[in-house]
């Protein structure tokens, strides 16, 4: 199986990164790519990606290419694993970093005979992972866990990790805007991302609608982003805001990437698009309820972190739904709390582009 072993020590042999496939964690893993490029400037770095996440890689410095494969989440899918292994074998990787701690995430790299397979212990992966690391549970943040795999075993973690970057060309974004028939009239654009994994992380849609209505009154355009699952939320927000608001929900993540590149500011929940906006460099206001910003906010600086000003003893609970059914950690954040923060974020960037 180890037909690649003779190139494992080559200074220009390729490395594969297997990241988490949630959008926010996928963006966060760009810090890992930067670490690898600093250690191995001449080695190409490829990234395994789902169809959903693959567009992000077009804008990440240091990535050679995506290996796109949509493996099912809840079953082993041996035939697809075997096909992926055959593809990986043809690329002759000398090392793979497997971020998820699951057995099936390490299977295709093992079957492909990649000589050095780095990952944390978990799900009895002895053999599948041969550069086995321990102590993941002692590392509280996702970036600490992922970043540790890009460093030599036993290395102390840096205080500051490299920041993720999404470098989206202005010309590409402008061309996208024209194709979408979005007016380019000089008014500021605020991008909303009202979705999140789990309803407890969502600021109420009527609050988003109220904010959209007020921004529209002030001559600010509102673009609502997300997957088709967020289309009902977008419709409600657009109805409230009127003709200056646009529903840009789409199954293609590239549409959100372009919109966030053009936006003057972004107002997402703690979601994948929060990380995308921050990595692009758009002034971003993150709304946090049941989750801890210290654990889950992007490494990139935010324009503001919004949390409720009232005492909610049960937060952070990190649960997808509110167990106490009051959802006060989000409901107690008012539109009036957000509006001046959005205005301040727009102060330094009053026109899209």
């Amino acid at each position: 199986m180890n037909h690649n072993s003779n190139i494992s020590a080559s200074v220009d042999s390729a490395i594969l990164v297997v990241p988490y496939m949630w959008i926010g964690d996928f963006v966060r893993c760009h810090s890992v790519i930067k670490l690898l490029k600093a250690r191995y400037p001449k080695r190409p770095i490829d990234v395994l990606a789902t169809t959903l996440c693959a567009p992000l890689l077009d804008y990440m410095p240091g990535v050679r290419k995506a290996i796109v494969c949509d493996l099912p989440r809840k079953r082993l899918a041996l035939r697809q694993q075997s096909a992926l292994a055959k593809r990986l074998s043809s690329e002759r990787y000398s090392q793979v970093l497997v971020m998820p701690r699951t057995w099936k995430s390490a299977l295709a790299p093992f079957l492909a005979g990649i000589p050095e397979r780095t990952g944390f212990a978990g799900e009895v992966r002895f053999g599948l992972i041969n550069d086995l690391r321990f102590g993941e549970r002692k590392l509280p943040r996702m970036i600490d866990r992922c970043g540790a795999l890009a460093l030599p075993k036993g290395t102390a973690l840096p205080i500051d990790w490299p920041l993720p970057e999404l470098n989206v060309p202005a010309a590409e974004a402008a061309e996208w805007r024209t194709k979408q028939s979005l007016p380019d009239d000089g008014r500021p654009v605020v991008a909303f991302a009202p979705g999140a994994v789990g309803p407890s992380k969502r600021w109420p849609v009527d609050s988003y609608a109220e904010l959209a209505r007020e921004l529209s009154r002030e001559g600010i355009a509102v673009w609502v982003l997300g997957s088709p699952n967020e289309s009902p939320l977008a419709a409600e927000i657009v109805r409230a805001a009127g003709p200056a608001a646009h529903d840009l929900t789409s199954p293609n993540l590239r549409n959100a990437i372009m919109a966030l590149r053009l936006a003057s500011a972004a107002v997402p929940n703690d979601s994948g698009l929060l990380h995308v906006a921050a990595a692009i460099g758009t002034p971003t206001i993150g709304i946090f309820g049941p989750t801890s910003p210290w654990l889950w906010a992007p490494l990139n600086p935010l324009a503001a972190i919004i949390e409720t000003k009232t005492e909610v003893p049960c937060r952070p609970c990190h649960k997808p739904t509110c167990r106490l059914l009051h959802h006060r950690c989000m409901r107690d954040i008012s539109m009036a709390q957000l509006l001046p923060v959005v205005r301040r974020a727009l102060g330094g960037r009053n026109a899209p582009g």
Side-chain angles (χ1 to χ4, degrees), residues 19-177:
Y20 288 90
M21 298 301 173
W22 300 103
I23 292 171
D25 295 333
F26 197 93
V27 172
R28 191 182 272 118
C29 278
H30 189 230
S31 296
V32 176
I33 292 158
K34 283 187 163 185
L35 282 171
L36 289 171
K37 289 306 287 186
R39 286 186 69 195
Y40 309 113
K42 295 183 179 179
R43 295 178 71 178
I45 298 171
D46 295 349
V47 180
L48 189 68
T50 57
T51 301
L52 172 64
C53 291
L56 293 164
L57 296 173
D58 290 342
Y59 310 105
M60 286 185 180
V63 175
R64 180 176 68 172
K65 66 180 178 182
I67 303 293
V68 181
C69 182
D70 294 306
L71 293 171
R73 284 189 185 273
K74 296 188 177 178
R75 57 190 177 87
L76 193 54
L78 275 174
R79 183 179 296 174
Q80 287 153 286
Q81 290 273 7
S82 178
L84 175 59
K86 187 175 180 181
R87 192 170 164 201
L88 298 182
S89 179
S90 71
E91 297 287 348
R92 298 182 62 79
Y93 295 113
S94 62
Q95 184 182 7
V96 58
L97 274 63
V98 182
M99 305 296 169
R101 212 162 46 90
T102 60
W103 197 86
K104 69 180 184 180
S105 63
L107 181 57
F110 168 76
L111 294 175
I114 299 175
E116 188 176 350
R117 303 181 296 277
T118 302
F120 280 105
E123 291 197 357
V124 198
R125 299 197 295 181
F126 303 102
L128 292 186
I129 298 291
N130 59 9
D131 175 20
L132 202 59
R133 309 292 179 90
F134 295 90
E136 183 192 34
R137 294 187 187 281
K138 295 178 182 175
L139 302 173
R141 298 185 304 165
M142 181 69 74
I143 183 55
D144 299 325
R145 297 176 179 190
C146 294
L149 297 180
L151 300 172
K153 193 179 289 189
T155 303
L157 302 186
I159 296 171
D160 296 311
W161 295 99
L163 299 182
E165 282 180 67
L166 293 172
N167 294 337
V168 183
E172 185 179 345
E175 183 181 350
W176 171 86
R177 184 178 198 151

Side-chain angles (χ1 to χ4, degrees), residues 279-348:
I280 287 171
T282 302
T284 303
I285 299 153
I287 307 174
F288 286 82
T291 51
S292 158
W294 183 79
L295 284 174
W296 297 110
L299 289 180
N300 306 82
L302 298 177
I305 288 173
I306 299 294
E307 301 175 271
T308 179
K309 294 178 179 177
T310 57
E311 183 67 29
V312 183
C314 53
R315 74 174 298 261
C317 70
H318 301 284
K319 301 295 181 185
T321 56
C322 179
R323 292 173 298 173
L324 301 180
L325 304 181
H326 56 59
H327 202 207
R328 284 184 57 207
C329 63
M330 281 301 211
R331 292 192 179 279
D332 285 2
I333 298 172
S334 68
M335 188 280 288
Q337 187 178 342
L338 261 290
L339 185 59
V341 180
V342 176
R343 286 175 179 150
R344 281 198 300 274
L346 290 173

Side-chain angles (χ1 to χ4, degrees), residues 258-269:
M258 293 299 132
L260 289 167
R261 171 63 178 83
L262 292 165
S264 314
V267 186
N269 294 313

